[in-house]
Every structure is written in C-alpha cells, then in structure tokens.
Amino acid sequence: MAKLSPMMVLPLVIFAGFAGLAFVGLQRDNPNELPSALAGKPAPVVAVTPLGDGKTFDDSDLRDGTVTLVNYWASWCAPCRVEHPNLEKLAKDGITIYGVNYKDKADNALNFLKELGNPYAAMGADATGRMALDWGVYGVPETYVIDGKGNIVLRFAGPITERVMQSTILPAIEAAR
C-alpha cells in the first residue's frame, strides 16, 4: 500500500478549509452584510474635533434617551453623495443624526455640506481616523443606529438608499425605541 505524502494531502486540507468557510458564509441572512462586533454593546468613545464653527457632539449626546444615528462620511466619497438626500429625509422626519467627517479636509467637507445641505444635528472631524478605528469602520459611508442608552443597535456599511432606509434603517430605529 502506497504511503500518502504530506504534499499530497495538503491541497485537500486547504480545499476543505475554503469549503468550510464558504459554507459558513452562505448561512448568514445577508452575505453582503458586514458583521459588527459592537452590536448590542455601548458605543465607543466619541472623539471628534470641531469642523468649522459648527456644534460638535460627545458621548453624552448618544445617551440622552433618544435614538440617534452616527454617520461617517467624507466629501471625497461618491457613495456619500448618493446617500445624502436620504439623510436629509431622515433629519426632516425628526431623526437626530450626528456626522463624523472622516479623513477629509475641513474646507472640502464644509463645501460639501454647503452644496448638498446639512442633515447633522452636530458633527465633528476624525482627521486621523482613530475614532473610526475604535468604532470598527471599514470605510465611508457607514452609519450606526444608537439606542437612547448609547448602545449600538445596528451598523450599516454603505450608502443609505431609499430601499436600505425602508428595509434596514427605519426598522432598526423602531426596534431601538
């Protein structure tokens, strides 16, 4: 009987590992959804610097008893432009949104808001990306639904389209209430 060498078994082991990962990934409800290790946990520390002469926000604003959104965005981000009208709708409907301008130039960020409108109750800059790292941000835009106690209910990576707003964001806001 011939002996199997490790070099003959290795490709099978690698294939089995990839097959297992694919199987686990396909078992999720939405395979495109990025999981959040922070869901159900307190939001990390808010550490923003003022952007222009606007009002900033801090940890206490996320724990004031009202459901809020924290939205990471940048002027150089094309999907941020796509989602912006929907953020404006949410703000008009009374949803408090705090904006975190991510690794952007202040003048560019302020011009972006001057052109498209400002849906944010307050905002600040995360010029180094340190706060975003603590929050687990993969890239912009990214939005967090925060309950009135300051816990993360939902993390949504990507632009908030009308469909996403109706199927994901608004139900999460209702659940947080």
Side-chain angles (χ1 to χ4, degrees), residues 11-71:
L12 292 172
V13 170
I14 291 172
F15 175 76
F18 283 131
L21 287 172
F23 178 77
V24 169
L26 291 172
Q27 300 307 307
R28 296 191 324 205
D29 291 337
N30 182 353
N32 293 324
E33 185 178 302
L34 295 170
S36 175
L38 298 176
K41 296 181 181 171
V45 173
V46 172
V48 292
T49 57
L51 183 61
D53 57 1
K55 178 186 171 212
T56 61
F57 67 104
D58 61 28
D59 298 325
S60 66
D61 292 307
L62 302 182
R63 293 164 177 79
D64 69 357
T66 59
V67 176
T68 58
L69 301 181
V70 174
N71 175 254

Side-chain angles (χ1 to χ4, degrees), residues 111-159:
N111 287 334
F112 177 95
L113 295 175
K114 186 176 179 182
E115 176 189 342
L116 299 177
N118 185 352
Y120 304 116
M123 65 181 168
D126 183 15
T128 64
R130 180 65 205 172
M131 180 177 153
L133 187 63
D134 292 342
W135 281 63
V137 172
Y138 282 87
V140 290
E142 206 159 299
T143 304
Y144 294 81
V145 177
I146 311 292
D147 70 13
K149 296 177 184 174
N151 298 310
I152 294 175
V153 174
L154 172 78
R155 170 184 168 261
F156 184 79

